[in-house]
Amino acid sequence: MVSTTQLQILQYPRISSSNTWSSTPNTITKAFDTDCSFELGNGNDAFGFKIANTNNAEISNYNTEDKINIHLLLNGESVSSSNLLFNGVIRKISEQYSEKSKVLSIEGRSFGEIMLNGVAFKDESNVDFMQHLQSCLDSVKYNNTSFSVIWDSNNPTLKKDGIKIGRAHV
């Protein structure tokens, strides 16, 4: 039996009025040269892909801060959290020109890289973990106004096994 693999890229457009992303993804079917890199040390976890941009038809479909999920599908399986390969945000969109074509080059970084791009100093104890995380994000934003990560109050408060996320003892 021959196994097949396929990358599926889902784009969740940023909704600026609510500081969140659309809950309905756009499936990107025209991507090529898709790359996901996971780095230790001085590197960054990053993704990139290209889209043909004939007659500038594609450029308005992508924006910085759009969320991108890249899934690795085996043998025709459906998208699920268990086959999520990369979860990040578009950081750079550039146009490349050649004699034969115009191409959009889309690059981004993982949420983990973005989250760890700030340092927070907090002295709290016996607070809900979500409150602690929100406090840390607020601290980073206070010291770095270009830090763009926000906490959505609708994020889950239970782990996958149904147990409440614990308290922070810092």
Side-chain angles (χ1 to χ4, degrees):
M1 178 179 193
V2 176
S3 294
T4 61
T5 60
Q6 173 191 2
L7 289 177
Q8 184 160 16
I9 304 173
L10 300 178
Q11 171 205 28
Y12 296 82
R14 174 83 177 204
I15 302 170
S16 59
S17 62
S18 62
N19 280 330
T20 189
W21 293 274
S22 170
S23 59
T24 306
N26 300 320
T27 302
I28 299 174
T29 58
K30 299 177 184 178
F32 63 95
D33 286 350
T34 302
D35 180 43
C36 297
S37 62
F38 302 93
E39 304 284 336
L40 294 174
N42 292 331
N44 291 314
D45 295 348
F47 70 88
F49 56 89
K50 295 180 180 171
I51 305 262
N53 190 31
T54 308
N55 298 322
N56 290 325
E58 294 292 328
I59 194 158
S60 64
N61 294 333
Y62 303 93
N63 295 292
T64 57
E65 302 299 324
D66 285 355
K67 180 170 77 170
I68 297 291
N69 285 354
I70 302 175
H71 294 266
L72 179 61
L73 307 179
L74 302 175
N75 299 320
E77 68 184 336
S78 298
V79 167
S80 72
S81 60
S82 65
N83 56 32
L84 180 64
L85 178 65
F86 203 95
N87 176 248
V89 175
I90 295 174
R91 288 299 198 197
K92 181 179 178 186
I93 301 170
S94 58
E95 292 183 272
Q96 300 172 343
Y97 301 96
S98 72
E99 300 170 358
K100 298 179 183 176
S101 66
K102 285 198 281 186
V103 172
L104 285 181
S105 178
I106 299 176
E107 301 172 28
R109 291 181 46 202
S110 76
F111 275 121
E113 289 290 335
I114 295 167
M115 287 290 291
L116 295 174
N117 206 19
V119 177
F121 300 97
K122 298 305 295 175
D123 183 17
E124 297 175 332
S125 62
N126 202 28
V127 296
D128 182 279
F129 180 76
M130 302 307 176
Q131 292 169 320
H132 179 72
L133 186 54
Q134 177 63 58
S135 180
C136 288
L137 290 172
D138 291 344
S139 173
V140 173
K141 276 195 273 189
Y142 178 77
N143 293 308
N144 179 1
T145 56
S146 65
F147 185 75
S148 60
V149 176
I150 60 166
W151 183 256
D152 186 341
S153 61
N154 293 318
N155 284 338
T157 58
L158 302 176
K159 298 186 284 185
K160 285 186 177 182
D161 60 8
I163 297 173
K164 184 173 172 70
I165 297 172
R167 300 187 83 65
H169 300 284
V170 182

Coordinates of all heavy atoms in Angstrom, one line a residue, residues 87-169:
N87 N 1.2 26.4 13.4 CA 0.2 27.3 13.7 C 0.9 28.7 13.9 O 1.7 28.8 14.8 CB -0.5 26.8 15.0 CG -1.5 27.8 15.6 OD1 -1.3 28.4 16.6 ND2 -2.6 28.0 14.9
G88 N 0.6 29.6 13.1 CA 1.3 30.9 13.2 C 0.5 32.1 12.6 O -0.7 32.0 12.3
V89 N 1.2 33.2 12.4 CA 0.7 34.4 11.9 C 1.5 34.9 10.8 O 2.8 34.9 10.8 CB 0.6 35.5 13.0 CG1 0.1 36.8 12.5 CG2 -0.3 35.0 14.2
I90 N 0.9 35.4 9.7 CA 1.6 36.1 8.6 C 2.3 37.3 9.1 O 1.7 38.2 9.7 CB 0.7 36.4 7.4 CG1 0.1 35.1 6.8 CG2 1.4 37.2 6.4 CD1 -1.0 35.4 5.7
R91 N 3.6 37.4 8.8 CA 4.4 38.6 9.2 C 4.8 39.4 8.0 O 5.1 40.6 8.1 CB 5.6 38.2 10.0 CG 5.2 37.7 11.4 CD 4.6 38.8 12.1 NE 4.6 38.6 13.6 CZ 3.8 39.2 14.4 NH1 3.0 40.1 14.0 NH2 3.9 39.0 15.7
K92 N 5.0 38.8 6.8 CA 5.5 39.5 5.7 C 4.9 39.0 4.4 O 4.8 37.8 4.2 CB 7.0 39.3 5.6 CG 7.7 40.1 4.5 CD 9.2 39.8 4.6 CE 9.9 40.5 3.4 NZ 11.3 40.2 3.3
I93 N 4.5 39.9 3.6 CA 3.9 39.6 2.2 C 4.7 40.4 1.2 O 4.8 41.7 1.4 CB 2.4 39.9 2.1 CG1 1.6 39.2 3.2 CG2 1.9 39.6 0.7 CD1 0.2 39.6 3.3
S94 N 5.4 39.8 0.3 CA 6.1 40.5 -0.7 C 5.8 40.0 -2.1 O 5.4 38.9 -2.3 CB 7.6 40.4 -0.4 OG 8.0 39.1 -0.4
E95 N 6.0 40.8 -3.1 CA 5.8 40.4 -4.5 C 7.1 40.2 -5.1 O 8.1 40.9 -4.9 CB 5.0 41.5 -5.2 CG 3.6 41.7 -4.7 CD 2.8 42.7 -5.5 OE1 2.9 43.9 -5.2 OE2 2.2 42.3 -6.5
Q96 N 7.2 39.1 -5.9 CA 8.4 38.8 -6.7 C 8.0 38.8 -8.1 O 6.9 38.2 -8.5 CB 8.9 37.5 -6.2 CG 9.3 37.4 -4.8 CD 9.7 36.0 -4.3 OE1 9.4 35.0 -4.9 NE2 10.4 36.0 -3.2
Y97 N 8.8 39.3 -9.0 CA 8.5 39.4 -10.4 C 9.6 38.6 -11.2 O 10.8 38.7 -10.8 CB 8.5 40.8 -10.9 CG 7.5 41.7 -10.1 CD1 7.9 42.5 -9.1 CD2 6.2 41.7 -10.5 CE1 6.9 43.2 -8.4 CE2 5.2 42.5 -9.9 CZ 5.6 43.2 -8.8 OH 4.7 44.0 -8.1
S98 N 9.2 38.0 -12.3 CA 10.2 37.4 -13.2 C 9.6 37.7 -14.6 O 8.5 38.3 -14.7 CB 10.3 35.9 -13.0 OG 9.1 35.2 -13.4
E99 N 10.3 37.2 -15.6 CA 9.9 37.4 -17.0 C 8.5 36.7 -17.2 O 7.7 37.2 -18.0 CB 10.9 36.9 -18.0 CG 12.2 37.5 -17.9 CD 13.3 36.7 -18.7 OE1 12.9 35.7 -19.3 OE2 14.4 37.1 -18.7
K100 N 8.3 35.6 -16.5 CA 7.1 34.8 -16.8 C 6.0 35.0 -15.8 O 4.8 34.6 -16.1 CB 7.5 33.4 -16.8 CG 8.5 33.0 -17.9 CD 8.9 31.6 -17.8 CE 10.0 31.3 -18.9 NZ 10.5 30.0 -18.8
S101 N 6.2 35.5 -14.6 CA 5.1 35.5 -13.6 C 5.3 36.6 -12.5 O 6.4 37.1 -12.3 CB 5.0 34.1 -13.0 OG 6.1 33.9 -12.2
K102 N 4.2 36.8 -11.8 CA 4.3 37.5 -10.6 C 3.9 36.6 -9.5 O 2.9 35.8 -9.6 CB 3.3 38.7 -10.6 CG 3.7 39.9 -11.4 CD 2.9 41.1 -11.1 CE 1.6 41.1 -11.7 NZ 0.9 42.4 -11.5
V103 N 4.6 36.6 -8.4 CA 4.4 35.7 -7.3 C 4.3 36.4 -6.0 O 5.1 37.4 -5.7 CB 5.5 34.6 -7.2 CG1 5.4 33.8 -6.0 CG2 5.5 33.8 -8.5
L104 N 3.3 36.0 -5.1 CA 3.3 36.5 -3.7 C 4.1 35.6 -2.9 O 3.9 34.4 -2.9 CB 1.9 36.6 -3.2 CG 1.0 37.7 -3.7 CD1 -0.4 37.6 -2.9 CD2 1.5 39.0 -3.4
S105 N 5.0 36.1 -2.1 CA 5.7 35.3 -1.1 C 5.2 35.7 0.2 O 5.2 36.8 0.7 CB 7.2 35.7 -1.2 OG 7.9 34.9 -0.2
I106 N 4.7 34.7 1.0 CA 4.1 34.9 2.2 C 4.9 34.2 3.3 O 5.2 33.0 3.2 CB 2.6 34.4 2.2 CG1 1.8 35.2 1.2 CG2 2.0 34.5 3.6 CD1 0.4 34.7 0.9
E107 N 5.3 34.9 4.3 CA 6.1 34.4 5.4 C 5.5 34.7 6.8 O 4.8 35.7 6.9 CB 7.5 35.0 5.4 CG 8.2 34.8 4.0 CD 9.5 35.6 4.0 OE1 10.1 35.9 5.0 OE2 9.9 35.9 2.8
G108 N 5.7 33.8 7.7 CA 5.2 34.1 9.0 C 6.0 33.4 10.1 O 6.9 32.6 9.8
R109 N 5.5 33.6 11.3 CA 6.2 32.9 12.5 C 5.2 32.2 13.3 O 4.0 32.6 13.3 CB 6.9 34.0 13.3 CG 8.1 34.6 12.5 CD 8.9 35.6 13.2 NE 9.2 35.3 14.6 CZ 9.5 36.2 15.5 NH1 9.5 37.5 15.2 NH2 9.8 35.9 16.8
S110 N 5.6 31.3 14.1 CA 4.7 30.5 14.9 C 4.2 31.3 16.1 O 4.9 32.3 16.5 CB 5.4 29.2 15.4 OG 6.3 29.6 16.5
F111 N 3.1 30.9 16.6 CA 2.5 31.6 17.8 C 3.5 31.5 19.0 O 3.7 32.4 19.8 CB 1.2 31.0 18.2 CG 0.0 31.6 17.5 CD1 -0.8 30.8 16.7 CD2 -0.2 33.0 17.5 CE1 -1.9 31.4 16.0 CE2 -1.3 33.5 16.9 CZ -2.1 32.7 16.1
G112 N 4.2 30.3 19.1 CA 5.1 30.2 20.2 C 6.3 31.2 20.1 O 6.7 31.7 21.1
E113 N 6.8 31.4 18.9 CA 7.8 32.4 18.7 C 7.4 33.8 19.1 O 8.1 34.6 19.7 CB 8.3 32.4 17.3 CG 9.1 31.2 16.9 CD 10.5 31.2 17.5 OE1 11.0 32.2 17.9 OE2 11.0 30.0 17.6
I114 N 6.1 34.1 18.7 CA 5.6 35.4 19.0 C 5.4 35.6 20.5 O 5.7 36.6 21.1 CB 4.3 35.7 18.2 CG1 4.6 35.7 16.7 CG2 3.6 37.0 18.6 CD1 3.4 35.6 15.8
M115 N 4.8 34.6 21.1 CA 4.6 34.6 22.6 C 5.9 34.8 23.3 O 5.9 35.5 24.3 CB 3.9 33.4 23.0 CG 2.4 33.3 22.6 SD 1.4 34.4 23.5 CE 1.5 33.8 25.2
L116 N 6.9 34.1 22.9 CA 8.2 34.2 23.6 C 9.1 35.4 23.2 O 10.2 35.5 23.6 CB 9.0 32.9 23.4 CG 8.3 31.7 23.9 CD1 9.0 30.4 23.5 CD2 8.2 31.8 25.4
N117 N 8.5 36.3 22.4 CA 9.2 37.5 22.0 C 9.2 38.6 23.0 O 9.7 39.7 22.8 CB 8.6 38.0 20.7 CG 9.5 38.8 19.8 OD1 10.7 38.7 20.0 ND2 9.0 39.6 18.9
G118 N 8.6 38.3 24.2 CA 8.6 39.3 25.2 C 9.0 38.7 26.6 O 8.9 37.5 26.7
V119 N 9.4 39.5 27.5 CA 9.8 39.0 28.8 C 8.9 39.7 29.8 O 8.7 41.0 29.7 CB 11.2 39.4 29.1 CG1 11.6 38.9 30.5 CG2 12.2 38.7 28.1
A120 N 8.3 39.0 30.7 CA 7.3 39.5 31.7 C 7.9 39.2 33.1 O 8.4 38.1 33.3 CB 5.9 38.9 31.5
F121 N 7.8 40.2 33.9 CA 8.1 40.0 35.3 C 6.9 40.2 36.2 O 6.3 41.2 36.2 CB 9.2 41.0 35.7 CG 10.4 40.9 34.9 CD1 10.7 41.7 33.8 CD2 11.4 40.0 35.2 CE1 11.8 41.6 33.1 CE2 12.6 39.9 34.5 CZ 12.8 40.7 33.4
K122 N 6.5 39.1 36.8 CA 5.2 39.1 37.6 C 5.5 38.5 38.9 O 6.3 37.5 39.0 CB 4.1 38.3 36.9 CG 3.7 38.9 35.5 CD 3.3 40.4 35.5 CE 2.1 40.7 36.3 NZ 1.8 42.1 36.4
D123 N 4.9 39.0 39.9 CA 5.0 38.4 41.3 C 3.6 38.2 41.8 O 3.0 39.1 42.4 CB 5.7 39.4 42.2 CG 5.9 38.8 43.6 OD1 5.8 37.6 43.7 OD2 6.3 39.6 44.5
E124 N 3.0 37.0 41.4 CA 1.6 36.7 41.8 C 1.6 35.3 42.4 O 2.5 34.5 42.1 CB 0.7 36.7 40.6 CG 0.6 38.1 40.0 CD -0.2 38.0 38.7 OE1 -0.3 37.0 38.0 OE2 -0.8 39.0 38.3
S125 N 0.7 35.0 43.2 CA 0.6 33.7 43.7 C -0.9 33.3 43.9 O -1.8 34.2 44.1 CB 1.3 33.5 45.1 OG 0.7 34.3 46.0
N126 N -1.2 32.1 43.7 CA -2.5 31.5 43.9 C -3.6 32.3 43.0 O -4.7 32.6 43.5 CB -2.9 31.5 45.4 CG -4.0 30.5 45.6 OD1 -4.1 29.5 44.9 ND2 -4.9 30.8 46.6
V127 N -3.2 32.5 41.8 CA -4.2 33.1 40.8 C -4.5 32.1 39.8 O -3.7 31.2 39.5 CB -3.7 34.4 40.2 CG1 -3.5 35.5 41.2 CG2 -2.4 34.2 39.4
D128 N -5.6 32.2 39.1 CA -6.0 31.3 38.0 C -4.9 31.4 36.9 O -4.4 32.5 36.7 CB -7.4 31.7 37.5 CG -7.9 30.9 36.4 OD1 -7.4 31.1 35.3 OD2 -8.7 29.9 36.7
F129 N -4.6 30.3 36.3 CA -3.5 30.3 35.3 C -3.9 31.3 34.2 O -3.0 32.0 33.7 CB -3.3 28.9 34.7 CG -2.3 28.9 33.7 CD1 -0.9 28.9 34.0 CD2 -2.6 28.9 32.3 CE1 0.1 28.9 33.1 CE2 -1.6 28.8 31.3 CZ -0.3 28.9 31.7
M130 N -5.1 31.4 33.8 CA -5.5 32.3 32.7 C -5.3 33.8 33.2 O -4.9 34.6 32.4 CB -7.0 32.1 32.3 CG -7.3 30.7 31.9 SD -6.2 30.1 30.5 CE -6.7 28.5 30.4
Q131 N -5.6 34.1 34.4 CA -5.4 35.4 34.9 C -3.9 35.7 34.9 O -3.5 36.9 34.6 CB -5.9 35.6 36.3 CG -7.4 35.5 36.4 CD -7.9 35.4 37.8 OE1 -7.3 34.7 38.6 NE2 -9.0 36.1 38.2
H132 N -3.1 34.7 35.3 CA -1.6 34.9 35.3 C -1.1 35.2 33.9 O -0.3 36.1 33.7 CB -1.0 33.7 35.9 CG 0.5 33.8 35.9 ND1 1.2 34.7 36.8 CD2 1.5 33.2 35.2 CE1 2.5 34.6 36.6 NE2 2.7 33.7 35.6
L133 N -1.6 34.4 32.9 CA -1.1 34.6 31.5 C -1.6 36.0 31.0 O -0.8 36.7 30.4 CB -1.7 33.5 30.6 CG -1.2 33.5 29.2 CD1 0.3 33.4 29.1 CD2 -1.8 32.3 28.5
Q134 N -2.8 36.4 31.3 CA -3.3 37.7 30.9 C -2.4 38.8 31.5 O -2.0 39.8 30.8 CB -4.7 37.9 31.3 CG -5.3 39.3 30.9 CD -5.2 39.6 29.4 OE1 -5.9 38.8 28.7 NE2 -4.6 40.6 29.0
S135 N -2.1 38.7 32.8 CA -1.2 39.6 33.5 C 0.2 39.7 32.8 O 0.7 40.8 32.7 CB -1.2 39.3 34.9 OG -0.4 40.2 35.6
C136 N 0.7 38.6 32.4 CA 2.0 38.5 31.8 C 1.9 39.3 30.4 O 2.8 40.1 30.1 CB 2.5 37.1 31.6 SG 3.0 36.3 33.1
L137 N 0.9 39.0 29.7 CA 0.7 39.6 28.4 C 0.6 41.1 28.5 O 1.2 41.9 27.8 CB -0.5 39.1 27.6 CG -0.3 37.6 27.1 CD1 -1.7 37.2 26.5 CD2 0.8 37.5 26.1
D138 N -0.2 41.6 29.5 CA -0.3 43.0 29.8 C 1.0 43.6 30.2 O 1.3 44.7 29.7 CB -1.3 43.2 30.9 CG -2.8 42.9 30.5 OD1 -3.0 42.8 29.3 OD2 -3.6 42.7 31.4
S139 N 1.8 42.9 30.9 CA 3.1 43.4 31.3 C 4.1 43.6 30.1 O 4.7 44.6 30.0 CB 3.8 42.5 32.4 OG 5.1 42.8 32.6
V140 N 4.0 42.6 29.2 CA 4.9 42.7 28.0 C 4.4 43.9 27.2 O 5.2 44.7 26.7 CB 4.9 41.4 27.3 CG1 5.6 41.5 25.9 CG2 5.5 40.3 28.1
K141 N 3.1 44.0 27.0 CA 2.6 45.1 26.2 C 2.9 46.5 26.8 O 3.2 47.4 26.0 CB 1.0 45.0 26.0 CG 0.6 44.0 24.9 CD -0.8 44.2 24.6 CE -1.7 43.3 25.5 NZ -3.1 43.3 25.1
Y142 N 2.9 46.6 28.1 CA 3.2 47.8 28.7 C 4.7 48.3 28.4 O 5.0 49.4 28.2 CB 3.1 47.7 30.3 CG 3.4 48.9 31.0 CD1 2.5 50.0 31.1 CD2 4.6 49.0 31.7 CE1 2.9 51.2 31.8 CE2 5.0 50.2 32.4 CZ 4.1 51.2 32.4 OH 4.4 52.4 33.1
N143 N 5.6 47.3 28.4 CA 7.0 47.6 28.1 C 7.4 47.5 26.6 O 8.5 47.9 26.3 CB 7.9 46.6 28.9 CG 7.8 46.8 30.4 OD1 7.9 47.9 30.8 ND2 7.4 45.7 31.1
N144 N 6.5 47.0 25.8 CA 6.8 46.9 24.3 C 5.5 47.1 23.6 O 4.7 46.1 23.4 CB 7.4 45.5 24.1 CG 7.7 45.3 22.6 OD1 7.5 46.2 21.8 ND2 8.1 44.1 22.3
T145 N 5.2 48.3 23.2 CA 3.9 48.6 22.5 C 3.7 47.9 21.2 O 2.6 47.8 20.7 CB 3.8 50.1 22.3 OG1 4.9 50.6 21.6 CG2 3.7 50.9 23.7
S146 N 4.8 47.4 20.6 CA 4.6 46.7 19.3 C 4.3 45.2 19.5 O 4.1 44.5 18.5 CB 5.9 46.8 18.4 OG 7.0 46.2 19.1
F147 N 4.3 44.8 20.8 CA 3.9 43.4 21.1 C 2.4 43.2 20.8 O 1.6 43.9 21.4 CB 4.3 43.1 22.5 CG 4.1 41.6 22.9 CD1 4.9 40.6 22.5 CD2 3.0 41.2 23.7 CE1 4.8 39.3 22.8 CE2 2.8 39.9 24.1 CZ 3.7 39.0 23.6
S148 N 2.0 42.3 19.9 CA 0.7 42.3 19.4 C -0.1 41.1 19.8 O -1.2 40.8 19.3 CB 0.6 42.4 17.9 OG 1.3 41.4 17.3
V149 N 0.3 40.3 20.8 CA -0.5 39.2 21.3 C -1.5 39.6 22.3 O -1.2 40.4 23.2 CB 0.5 38.1 21.9 CG1 -0.3 36.9 22.4 CG2 1.5 37.6 20.8
I150 N -2.7 39.1 22.1 CA -3.8 39.4 23.0 C -4.3 38.1 23.6 O -4.2 37.1 23.0 CB -4.9 40.3 22.4 CG1 -5.5 39.5 21.2 CG2 -4.4 41.6 22.0 CD1 -6.8 40.1 20.8
W151 N -5.0 38.2 24.7 CA -5.7 37.0 25.3 C -7.2 37.1 25.0 O -7.8 38.1 25.3 CB -5.4 36.9 26.8 CG -6.0 35.7 27.4 CD1 -7.1 35.6 28.1 CD2 -5.5 34.4 27.3 NE1 -7.4 34.3 28.5 CE2 -6.4 33.5 28.0 CE3 -4.4 33.8 26.6 CZ2 -6.2 32.2 28.0 CZ3 -4.3 32.4 26.7 CH2 -5.1 31.6 27.4
D152 N -7.7 36.0 24.4 CA -9.1 36.0 24.1 C -9.8 35.3 25.3 O -9.5 34.2 25.7 CB -9.4 35.1 22.9 CG -10.8 35.1 22.5 OD1 -11.7 35.5 23.3 OD2 -11.1 34.8 21.3
S153 N -10.7 36.1 25.9 CA -11.4 35.6 27.1 C -12.3 34.3 26.8 O -12.7 33.7 27.8 CB -12.3 36.7 27.8 OG -13.3 37.1 26.8
N154 N -12.5 34.0 25.6 CA -13.2 32.8 25.2 C -12.3 31.6 25.1 O -12.8 30.5 24.7 CB -14.0 33.0 23.9 CG -15.1 34.1 24.0 OD1 -15.8 34.1 25.0 ND2 -15.1 35.0 23.0
N155 N -11.0 31.7 25.4 CA -10.2 30.5 25.3 C -10.6 29.5 26.4 O -11.2 29.9 27.4 CB -8.7 31.0 25.6 CG -8.1 31.6 24.4 OD1 -8.5 31.4 23.3 ND2 -7.0 32.4 24.7
P156 N -10.4 28.3 26.1 CA -10.9 27.2 27.0 C -10.2 27.3 28.4 O -9.1 27.8 28.5 CB -10.5 25.9 26.3 CG -9.5 26.3 25.3 CD -9.7 27.7 25.0
T157 N -10.9 26.9 29.4 CA -10.4 26.8 30.8 C -10.2 25.4 31.2 O -9.7 25.2 32.3 CB -11.3 27.5 31.7 OG1 -12.6 26.9 31.7 CG2 -11.5 29.0 31.4
L158 N -10.5 24.5 30.3 CA -10.3 23.0 30.7 C -9.3 22.5 29.7 O -9.2 22.8 28.5 CB -11.6 22.3 30.5 CG -12.8 22.7 31.4 CD1 -14.0 21.9 31.0 CD2 -12.4 22.6 32.9
K159 N -8.5 21.5 30.2 CA -7.5 20.8 29.4 C -8.3 19.8 28.6 O -9.5 19.5 28.8 CB -6.5 20.0 30.2 CG -5.6 21.0 31.0 CD -4.5 20.3 31.8 CE -5.0 19.6 33.0 NZ -4.0 19.0 33.8
K160 N -7.7 19.1 27.6 CA -8.4 18.2 26.7 C -9.0 17.0 27.5 O -10.0 16.5 27.1 CB -7.4 17.6 25.7 CG -7.1 18.6 24.6 CD -6.2 17.9 23.5 CE -6.0 18.9 22.4 NZ -5.2 18.3 21.3
D161 N -8.4 16.7 28.6 CA -9.0 15.6 29.4 C -10.1 16.0 30.3 O -10.7 15.3 31.1 CB -7.9 14.9 30.3 CG -7.2 15.9 31.3 OD1 -7.7 17.0 31.4 OD2 -6.2 15.5 31.9
G162 N -10.6 17.3 30.2 CA -11.7 17.8 31.0 C -11.4 18.4 32.3 O -12.2 18.9 33.0
I163 N -10.1 18.3 32.7 CA -9.7 18.9 34.0 C -9.3 20.3 33.9 O -8.7 20.8 32.9 CB -8.4 18.1 34.5 CG1 -8.8 16.6 34.7 CG2 -7.9 18.7 35.8 CD1 -7.6 15.7 35.1
K164 N -9.8 21.1 34.9 CA -9.5 22.6 34.9 C -8.0 22.9 34.9 O -7.3 22.2 35.6 CB -10.2 23.2 36.1 CG -10.1 24.7 36.2 CD -10.9 25.3 37.3 CE -10.7 26.7 37.5 NZ -11.2 27.6 36.6
I165 N -7.7 23.9 34.1 CA -6.3 24.3 34.1 C -5.9 24.9 35.4 O -6.7 25.6 36.0 CB -6.0 25.3 33.0 CG1 -6.3 24.6 31.6 CG2 -4.6 25.9 33.0 CD1 -6.3 25.6 30.4
G166 N -4.8 24.5 36.0 CA -4.4 24.8 37.4 C -4.2 26.2 37.7 O -4.3 27.1 36.9
R167 N -3.7 26.4 38.9 CA -3.4 27.8 39.4 C -1.9 28.0 39.2 O -1.1 27.1 39.2 CB -3.8 27.9 40.9 CG -5.3 27.6 41.0 CD -5.8 27.9 42.4 NE -6.1 29.2 42.8 CZ -7.0 30.0 42.2 NH1 -7.8 29.5 41.3 NH2 -7.2 31.2 42.7
A168 N -1.6 29.3 39.1 CA -0.2 29.7 38.9 C 0.4 30.0 40.3 O -0.2 30.8 41.1 CB -0.1 30.9 38.0
H169 N 1.5 29.4 40.6 CA 2.2 29.6 41.9 C 3.6 30.1 41.5 O 4.5 29.3 41.2 CB 2.3 28.3 42.7 CG 1.0 27.8 43.1 ND1 0.2 28.4 44.1 CD2 0.2 26.8 42.6 CE1 -1.0 27.7 44.2 NE2 -0.9 26.7 43.3

